[in-house]
Amino acid sequence: QVQLVESGGGLVQPGGSLRLSCAASGSIFSINTMGWYRQAPGKERELVAAITRGGNTNYADSVKGRFTISRDNARNTVYLQMNSLKPDDTAVYYCNADVLVRRDRYAMNYWGKGTLVTVSS
Protein backbone atom coordinates (compact mmCIF):
# COMPACT_ATOMS: atom_id res chain seq x y z
CA GLN A 1 0.00 0.00 0.00
CA VAL A 2 1.21 3.56 0.73
CA GLN A 3 3.17 4.79 3.72
CA LEU A 4 4.05 8.33 4.81
CA VAL A 5 7.02 8.80 7.12
CA GLU A 6 7.71 12.16 8.78
CA SER A 7 11.06 13.30 10.13
CA GLY A 8 12.73 16.45 11.42
CA GLY A 9 10.75 17.18 14.55
CA GLY A 10 12.41 18.01 17.83
CA LEU A 11 13.03 20.62 20.49
CA VAL A 12 13.80 24.18 19.44
CA GLN A 13 13.98 27.57 21.17
CA PRO A 14 11.50 30.34 20.39
CA GLY A 15 12.64 32.17 17.27
CA GLY A 16 14.45 29.10 15.99
CA SER A 17 13.90 27.01 12.88
CA LEU A 18 13.14 23.43 11.93
CA ARG A 19 12.57 21.65 8.65
CA LEU A 20 10.13 18.75 8.51
CA SER A 21 10.23 16.11 5.80
CA CYS A 22 7.64 13.56 4.73
CA ALA A 23 8.50 10.77 2.31
CA ALA A 24 5.79 8.71 0.64
CA SER A 25 6.46 5.18 -0.55
CA GLY A 26 4.55 2.17 -1.83
CA SER A 27 2.08 1.62 -4.65
CA ILE A 28 2.06 5.19 -5.93
CA PHE A 29 1.12 6.28 -9.40
CA SER A 30 1.19 9.97 -8.55
CA ILE A 31 0.44 12.33 -5.68
CA ASN A 32 -1.85 15.32 -6.02
CA THR A 33 -2.04 17.47 -2.89
CA MET A 34 0.34 17.00 0.03
CA GLY A 35 -0.02 18.87 3.27
CA TRP A 36 0.94 19.32 6.87
CA TYR A 37 -1.52 19.33 9.76
CA ARG A 38 -0.84 19.79 13.43
CA GLN A 39 -2.59 18.99 16.68
CA ALA A 40 -1.73 20.41 20.07
CA PRO A 41 -2.99 18.89 23.34
CA GLY A 42 -6.61 19.84 23.91
CA LYS A 43 -6.99 21.35 20.45
CA GLU A 44 -8.47 20.14 17.19
CA ARG A 45 -6.26 19.14 14.30
CA GLU A 46 -5.72 22.03 11.89
CA LEU A 47 -4.30 22.49 8.43
CA VAL A 48 -0.91 24.19 8.49
CA ALA A 49 0.00 24.23 4.81
CA ALA A 50 -0.78 22.37 1.60
CA ILE A 51 0.77 22.16 -1.85
CA THR A 52 -0.50 20.73 -5.12
CA ARG A 53 1.61 18.75 -7.54
CA GLY A 54 1.93 21.86 -9.67
CA GLY A 55 3.17 23.98 -6.79
CA ASN A 56 0.10 25.93 -5.69
CA THR A 57 0.24 26.55 -1.95
CA ASN A 58 -2.14 27.37 0.88
CA TYR A 59 -1.23 28.39 4.43
CA ALA A 60 -2.99 28.88 7.71
CA ASP A 61 -3.10 32.55 8.68
CA SER A 62 -1.12 31.80 11.83
CA VAL A 63 1.95 30.62 9.88
CA LYS A 64 1.95 32.91 6.84
CA GLY A 65 5.30 34.59 6.43
CA ARG A 66 7.02 32.13 8.75
CA PHE A 67 6.50 28.68 7.20
CA THR A 68 7.20 27.52 3.66
CA ILE A 69 5.93 24.29 2.13
CA SER A 70 7.68 22.68 -0.84
CA ARG A 71 7.91 19.30 -2.52
CA ASP A 72 10.16 17.10 -4.60
CA ASN A 73 7.93 15.11 -6.92
CA ALA A 74 10.76 12.87 -8.07
CA ARG A 75 11.22 11.68 -4.49
CA ASN A 76 7.54 11.83 -3.43
CA THR A 77 8.61 14.07 -0.58
CA VAL A 78 7.09 17.20 0.96
CA TYR A 79 8.91 19.63 3.24
CA LEU A 80 7.89 22.25 5.74
CA GLN A 81 10.45 24.92 6.57
CA MET A 82 9.47 26.52 9.86
CA ASN A 83 11.11 29.80 10.88
CA SER A 84 10.51 32.20 13.75
CA LEU A 85 8.94 29.43 15.78
CA LYS A 86 6.67 30.31 18.67
CA PRO A 87 5.57 28.28 21.70
CA ASP A 88 2.08 28.12 20.15
CA ASP A 89 3.59 26.12 17.28
CA THR A 90 4.18 23.22 19.67
CA ALA A 91 2.21 20.25 18.37
CA VAL A 92 2.39 16.89 16.70
CA TYR A 93 2.74 17.55 12.99
CA TYR A 94 1.13 15.09 10.59
CA CYS A 95 1.81 14.60 6.91
CA ASN A 96 -1.16 14.03 4.60
CA ALA A 97 -1.29 13.09 0.94
CA ASP A 98 -3.90 12.51 -1.75
CA VAL A 99 -2.48 9.59 -3.71
CA LEU A 100 -3.44 7.99 -7.01
CA VAL A 101 -2.70 4.34 -6.32
CA ARG A 102 -0.67 2.42 -8.87
CA ARG A 103 -2.46 0.56 -11.67
CA ASP A 104 -6.12 1.41 -10.93
CA ARG A 105 -5.33 5.09 -10.14
CA TYR A 106 -8.08 5.51 -7.57
CA ALA A 107 -7.62 8.47 -5.25
CA MET A 108 -6.75 7.55 -1.67
CA ASN A 109 -5.93 9.72 1.32
CA TYR A 110 -3.10 8.77 3.69
CA TRP A 111 -1.73 10.04 6.99
CA GLY A 112 1.68 9.75 8.55
CA LYS A 113 2.18 8.80 12.18
CA GLY A 114 3.28 12.30 13.15
CA THR A 115 6.41 14.01 14.42
CA LEU A 116 6.56 16.09 17.60
CA VAL A 117 7.68 19.71 17.46
CA THR A 118 8.32 21.36 20.81
CA VAL A 119 9.12 25.07 21.04
CA SER A 120 10.44 25.78 24.50
CA SER A 121 9.74 28.87 26.53
Side-chain angles (χ1 to χ4, degrees):
Q1 195 62 324
V2 175
Q3 300 82 39
L4 306 179
V5 179
E6 303 101 332
S7 62
L11 176 65
V12 65
Q13 296 181 357
S17 298
L18 283 175
R19 190 176 80 146
L20 306 183
S21 299
C22 172
S25 62
S27 301
I28 299 169
F29 177 79
S30 64
I31 303 177
N32 186 21
T33 301
M34 303 186 78
W36 290 95
Y37 293 73
R38 68 185 181 188
Q39 188 166 25
K43 292 187 175 182
E44 294 185 348
R45 187 172 300 186
E46 64 173 346
L47 175 68
V48 177
I51 183 169
T52 68
R53 183 172 181 85
N56 296 107
T57 59
N58 184 51
Y59 296 93
D61 288 340
S62 60
V63 307
K64 287 180 180 176
R66 300 189 298 121
F67 292 9
T68 302
I69 189 170
S70 61
R71 63 190 287 172
D72 184 343
N73 292 333
R75 292 175 169 81
N76 289 326
T77 300
V78 63
Y79 306 94
L80 185 67
Q81 178 66 48
M82 304 184 293
N83 299 327
S84 302
L85 283 162
K86 306 174 181 179
D88 285 349
D89 295 319
T90 296
V92 176
Y93 284 70
Y94 297 92
C95 180
N96 181 266
D98 291 324
V99 179
L100 296 182
V101 179
R102 190 183 298 160
R103 295 290 186 177
D104 59 8
R105 305 182 186 181
Y106 283 112
M108 299 286 288
N109 185 260
Y110 294 91
W111 290 92
K113 295 173 62 177
T115 184
L116 177 63
V117 172
T118 302
V119 184
S120 68
S121 59

Tab-separated table of all heavy atoms in Angstrom, residues 13-50:
chain	number	residue	atom	x	y	z
A	13	GLN	N	14.274	26.360	20.404
A	13	GLN	CA	13.981	27.568	21.172
A	13	GLN	C	13.066	28.502	20.395
A	13	GLN	O	13.034	28.477	19.162
A	13	GLN	CB	15.277	28.298	21.519
A	13	GLN	CG	16.210	27.527	22.434
A	13	GLN	CD	17.466	28.307	22.754
A	13	GLN	OE1	17.688	29.402	22.252
A	13	GLN	NE2	18.299	27.733	23.607
A	14	PRO	N	12.289	29.327	21.092
A	14	PRO	CA	11.500	30.338	20.388
A	14	PRO	C	12.377	31.182	19.474
A	14	PRO	O	13.481	31.584	19.848
A	14	PRO	CB	10.901	31.173	21.520
A	14	PRO	CG	10.840	30.230	22.674
A	14	PRO	CD	12.063	29.356	22.542
A	15	GLY	N	11.879	31.446	18.274
A	15	GLY	CA	12.643	32.165	17.272
A	15	GLY	C	13.508	31.285	16.401
A	15	GLY	O	14.061	31.768	15.401
A	16	GLY	N	13.626	30.020	16.746
A	16	GLY	CA	14.446	29.101	15.987
A	16	GLY	C	13.730	28.530	14.783
A	16	GLY	O	12.597	28.909	14.465
A	17	SER	N	14.409	27.592	14.113
A	17	SER	CA	13.898	27.012	12.877
A	17	SER	C	14.009	25.498	12.898
A	17	SER	O	14.893	24.928	13.540
A	17	SER	CB	14.677	27.548	11.669
A	17	SER	OG	14.530	28.948	11.530
A	18	LEU	N	13.106	24.857	12.177
A	18	LEU	CA	13.141	23.427	11.927
A	18	LEU	C	12.645	23.178	10.515
A	18	LEU	O	11.860	23.967	9.982
A	18	LEU	CB	12.255	22.652	12.905
A	18	LEU	CG	12.736	22.420	14.329
A	18	LEU	CD1	11.627	21.748	15.134
A	18	LEU	CD2	13.994	21.570	14.347
A	19	ARG	N	13.089	22.074	9.931
A	19	ARG	CA	12.566	21.646	8.650
A	19	ARG	C	12.044	20.222	8.776
A	19	ARG	O	12.790	19.306	9.116
A	19	ARG	CB	13.611	21.711	7.535
A	19	ARG	CG	12.982	21.497	6.150
A	19	ARG	CD	13.969	21.638	5.017
A	19	ARG	NE	14.767	20.440	4.823
A	19	ARG	CZ	15.186	20.014	3.632
A	19	ARG	NH1	14.885	20.697	2.538
A	19	ARG	NH2	15.925	18.920	3.555
A	20	LEU	N	10.762	20.057	8.502
A	20	LEU	CA	10.132	18.754	8.514
A	20	LEU	C	10.144	18.149	7.114
A	20	LEU	O	10.019	18.861	6.116
A	20	LEU	CB	8.684	18.841	9.007
A	20	LEU	CG	8.444	19.512	10.362
A	20	LEU	CD1	6.961	19.449	10.710
A	20	LEU	CD2	9.296	18.868	11.440
A	21	SER	N	10.275	16.833	7.057
A	21	SER	CA	10.225	16.108	5.799
A	21	SER	C	9.200	14.991	5.910
A	21	SER	O	8.990	14.426	6.980
A	21	SER	CB	11.590	15.504	5.449
A	21	SER	OG	12.575	16.497	5.305
A	22	CYS	N	8.571	14.669	4.796
A	22	CYS	CA	7.636	13.557	4.730
A	22	CYS	C	7.850	12.840	3.412
A	22	CYS	O	7.644	13.430	2.346
A	22	CYS	CB	6.195	14.045	4.850
A	22	CYS	SG	4.949	12.767	4.542
A	23	ALA	N	8.244	11.582	3.490
A	23	ALA	CA	8.501	10.773	2.309
A	23	ALA	C	7.400	9.734	2.142
A	23	ALA	O	7.097	8.985	3.074
A	23	ALA	CB	9.857	10.094	2.418
A	24	ALA	N	6.813	9.693	0.965
A	24	ALA	CA	5.791	8.711	0.639
A	24	ALA	C	6.409	7.565	-0.143
A	24	ALA	O	7.275	7.768	-0.999
A	24	ALA	CB	4.665	9.344	-0.169
A	25	SER	N	5.958	6.349	0.146
A	25	SER	CA	6.458	5.178	-0.555
A	25	SER	C	5.340	4.160	-0.710
A	25	SER	O	4.326	4.227	-0.011
A	25	SER	CB	7.645	4.556	0.184
A	25	SER	OG	7.268	4.114	1.474
A	26	GLY	N	5.528	3.214	-1.607
A	26	GLY	CA	4.549	2.168	-1.829
A	26	GLY	C	3.980	2.194	-3.228
A	26	GLY	O	4.651	2.593	-4.179
A	27	SER	N	2.730	1.780	-3.350
A	27	SER	CA	2.081	1.623	-4.649
A	27	SER	C	1.521	2.948	-5.137
A	27	SER	O	0.307	3.176	-5.150
A	27	SER	CB	0.976	0.569	-4.561
A	27	SER	OG	1.497	-0.681	-4.157
A	28	ILE	N	2.411	3.826	-5.554
A	28	ILE	CA	2.063	5.191	-5.927
A	28	ILE	C	2.159	5.362	-7.429
A	28	ILE	O	3.195	5.084	-8.027
A	28	ILE	CB	2.978	6.205	-5.225
A	28	ILE	CG1	2.840	6.104	-3.708
A	28	ILE	CG2	2.660	7.621	-5.713
A	28	ILE	CD1	3.888	6.889	-2.956
A	29	PHE	N	1.065	5.836	-8.016
A	29	PHE	CA	1.116	6.280	-9.396
A	29	PHE	C	1.518	7.750	-9.453
A	29	PHE	O	2.432	8.118	-10.188
A	29	PHE	CB	-0.232	6.064	-10.099
A	29	PHE	CG	-0.250	6.588	-11.513
A	29	PHE	CD1	0.321	5.862	-12.538
A	29	PHE	CD2	-0.831	7.810	-11.811
A	29	PHE	CE1	0.318	6.337	-13.837
A	29	PHE	CE2	-0.846	8.294	-13.106
A	29	PHE	CZ	-0.270	7.557	-14.121
A	30	SER	N	0.843	8.567	-8.672
A	30	SER	CA	1.188	9.968	-8.547
A	30	SER	C	0.546	10.505	-7.274
A	30	SER	O	-0.319	9.873	-6.684
A	30	SER	CB	0.744	10.788	-9.764
A	30	SER	OG	-0.666	10.795	-9.874
A	31	ILE	N	0.983	11.681	-6.860
A	31	ILE	CA	0.435	12.334	-5.681
A	31	ILE	C	-0.052	13.717	-6.070
A	31	ILE	O	0.704	14.500	-6.651
A	31	ILE	CB	1.479	12.441	-4.549
A	31	ILE	CG1	2.024	11.063	-4.188
A	31	ILE	CG2	0.866	13.115	-3.327
A	31	ILE	CD1	3.111	11.088	-3.132
A	32	ASN	N	-1.309	14.001	-5.743
A	32	ASN	CA	-1.851	15.320	-6.019
A	32	ASN	C	-1.438	16.278	-4.894
A	32	ASN	O	-0.308	16.746	-4.871
A	32	ASN	CB	-3.373	15.262	-6.182
A	32	ASN	CG	-3.953	16.590	-6.617
A	32	ASN	OD1	-3.252	17.445	-7.161
A	32	ASN	ND2	-5.243	16.778	-6.388
A	33	THR	N	-2.339	16.544	-3.971
A	33	THR	CA	-2.038	17.471	-2.892
A	33	THR	C	-1.324	16.767	-1.746
A	33	THR	O	-1.693	15.661	-1.359
A	33	THR	CB	-3.319	18.136	-2.376
A	33	THR	OG1	-3.951	18.841	-3.447
A	33	THR	CG2	-3.017	19.119	-1.259
A	34	MET	N	-0.307	17.420	-1.205
A	34	MET	CA	0.344	17.001	0.026
A	34	MET	C	0.241	18.150	1.017
A	34	MET	O	0.259	19.317	0.613
A	34	MET	CB	1.806	16.630	-0.194
A	34	MET	CG	2.012	15.538	-1.225
A	34	MET	SD	3.741	14.998	-1.356
A	34	MET	CE	3.858	13.930	0.095
A	35	GLY	N	0.130	17.817	2.284
A	35	GLY	CA	-0.024	18.870	3.267
A	35	GLY	C	0.477	18.479	4.634
A	35	GLY	O	0.781	17.315	4.910
A	36	TRP	N	0.559	19.495	5.477
A	36	TRP	CA	0.937	19.323	6.868
A	36	TRP	C	-0.197	19.807	7.758
A	36	TRP	O	-0.730	20.906	7.558
A	36	TRP	CB	2.208	20.106	7.200
A	36	TRP	CG	3.442	19.543	6.571
A	36	TRP	CD1	4.018	19.917	5.399
A	36	TRP	CD2	4.254	18.497	7.103
A	36	TRP	NE1	5.140	19.170	5.153
A	36	TRP	CE2	5.311	18.285	6.187
A	36	TRP	CE3	4.201	17.716	8.255
A	36	TRP	CZ2	6.303	17.330	6.392
A	36	TRP	CZ3	5.177	16.760	8.459
A	36	TRP	CH2	6.216	16.586	7.531
A	37	TYR	N	-0.565	18.986	8.716
A	37	TYR	CA	-1.523	19.326	9.756
A	37	TYR	C	-0.816	19.263	11.096
A	37	TYR	O	0.238	18.645	11.231
A	37	TYR	CB	-2.705	18.356	9.755
A	37	TYR	CG	-3.596	18.443	8.536
A	37	TYR	CD1	-3.178	17.964	7.307
A	37	TYR	CD2	-4.879	18.993	8.632
A	37	TYR	CE1	-3.994	18.036	6.193
A	37	TYR	CE2	-5.706	19.062	7.526
A	37	TYR	CZ	-5.256	18.584	6.315
A	37	TYR	OH	-6.088	18.656	5.213
A	38	ARG	N	-1.412	19.888	12.093
A	38	ARG	CA	-0.844	19.791	13.433
A	38	ARG	C	-1.962	19.723	14.463
A	38	ARG	O	-3.070	20.205	14.238
A	38	ARG	CB	0.090	20.967	13.740
A	38	ARG	CG	-0.601	22.317	13.863
A	38	ARG	CD	0.430	23.426	14.034
A	38	ARG	NE	-0.190	24.731	14.187
A	38	ARG	CZ	0.485	25.875	14.201
A	38	ARG	NH1	1.818	25.870	14.082
A	38	ARG	NH2	-0.165	27.023	14.354
A	39	GLN	N	-1.639	19.110	15.591
A	39	GLN	CA	-2.588	18.987	16.682
A	39	GLN	C	-1.855	19.156	18.002
A	39	GLN	O	-0.941	18.394	18.314
A	39	GLN	CB	-3.308	17.640	16.643
A	39	GLN	CG	-4.439	17.528	17.648
A	39	GLN	CD	-5.338	16.345	17.362
A	39	GLN	OE1	-4.925	15.364	16.748
A	39	GLN	NE2	-6.584	16.441	17.797
A	40	ALA	N	-2.262	20.160	18.747
A	40	ALA	CA	-1.728	20.406	20.075
A	40	ALA	C	-2.656	19.779	21.109
A	40	ALA	O	-3.842	19.575	20.839
A	40	ALA	CB	-1.582	21.904	20.323
A	41	PRO	N	-2.145	19.476	22.305
A	41	PRO	CA	-2.994	18.889	23.340
A	41	PRO	C	-4.215	19.756	23.632
A	41	PRO	O	-4.102	20.964	23.826
A	41	PRO	CB	-2.064	18.814	24.555
A	41	PRO	CG	-0.691	18.737	23.972
A	41	PRO	CD	-0.743	19.598	22.744
A	42	GLY	N	-5.386	19.134	23.635
A	42	GLY	CA	-6.614	19.844	23.914
A	42	GLY	C	-7.177	20.644	22.768
A	42	GLY	O	-8.200	21.315	22.940
A	43	LYS	N	-6.534	20.604	21.612
A	43	LYS	CA	-6.995	21.348	20.449
A	43	LYS	C	-7.329	20.406	19.302
A	43	LYS	O	-6.880	19.266	19.259
A	43	LYS	CB	-5.938	22.361	19.993
A	43	LYS	CG	-5.691	23.505	20.953
A	43	LYS	CD	-4.759	24.533	20.341
A	43	LYS	CE	-4.593	25.748	21.217
A	43	LYS	NZ	-3.713	26.774	20.587
A	44	GLU	N	-8.134	20.911	18.378
A	44	GLU	CA	-8.467	20.143	17.194
A	44	GLU	C	-7.334	20.195	16.182
A	44	GLU	O	-6.549	21.150	16.146
A	44	GLU	CB	-9.756	20.670	16.552
A	44	GLU	CG	-10.992	20.487	17.411
A	44	GLU	CD	-12.256	20.903	16.695
A	44	GLU	OE1	-12.159	21.540	15.626
A	44	GLU	OE2	-13.346	20.581	17.195
A	45	ARG	N	-7.252	19.165	15.360
A	45	ARG	CA	-6.256	19.142	14.303
A	45	ARG	C	-6.567	20.229	13.279
A	45	ARG	O	-7.726	20.427	12.892
A	45	ARG	CB	-6.222	17.774	13.638
A	45	ARG	CG	-5.102	17.601	12.641
A	45	ARG	CD	-5.000	16.155	12.158
A	45	ARG	NE	-4.739	15.236	13.251
A	45	ARG	CZ	-4.489	13.947	13.096
A	45	ARG	NH1	-4.444	13.415	11.886
A	45	ARG	NH2	-4.280	13.178	14.148
A	46	GLU	N	-5.540	20.937	12.834
A	46	GLU	CA	-5.721	22.025	11.895
A	46	GLU	C	-4.740	21.919	10.736
A	46	GLU	O	-3.626	21.404	10.883
A	46	GLU	CB	-5.540	23.383	12.594
A	46	GLU	CG	-4.138	23.615	13.134
A	46	GLU	CD	-3.924	25.008	13.674
A	46	GLU	OE1	-4.758	25.898	13.402
A	46	GLU	OE2	-2.911	25.225	14.379
A	47	LEU	N	-5.172	22.427	9.594
A	47	LEU	CA	-4.300	22.489	8.431
A	47	LEU	C	-3.260	23.581	8.631
A	47	LEU	O	-3.593	24.716	8.964
A	47	LEU	CB	-5.112	22.758	7.170
A	47	LEU	CG	-4.300	22.962	5.883
A	47	LEU	CD1	-3.613	21.666	5.469
A	47	LEU	CD2	-5.192	23.484	4.760
A	48	VAL	N	-2.005	23.233	8.412
A	48	VAL	CA	-0.911	24.194	8.486
A	48	VAL	C	-0.576	24.731	7.101
A	48	VAL	O	-0.507	25.944	6.890
A	48	VAL	CB	0.341	23.565	9.127
A	48	VAL	CG1	1.500	24.561	9.140
A	48	VAL	CG2	0.028	23.081	10.537
A	49	ALA	N	-0.352	23.837	6.159
A	49	ALA	CA	0.004	24.226	4.808
A	49	ALA	C	-0.261	23.066	3.869
A	49	ALA	O	-0.209	21.898	4.269
A	49	ALA	CB	1.478	24.647	4.721
A	50	ALA	N	-0.543	23.383	2.610
A	50	ALA	CA	-0.777	22.366	1.597
A	50	ALA	C	-0.179	22.826	0.280
A	50	ALA	O	-0.048	24.029	0.030
A	50	ALA	CB	-2.272	22.079	1.434
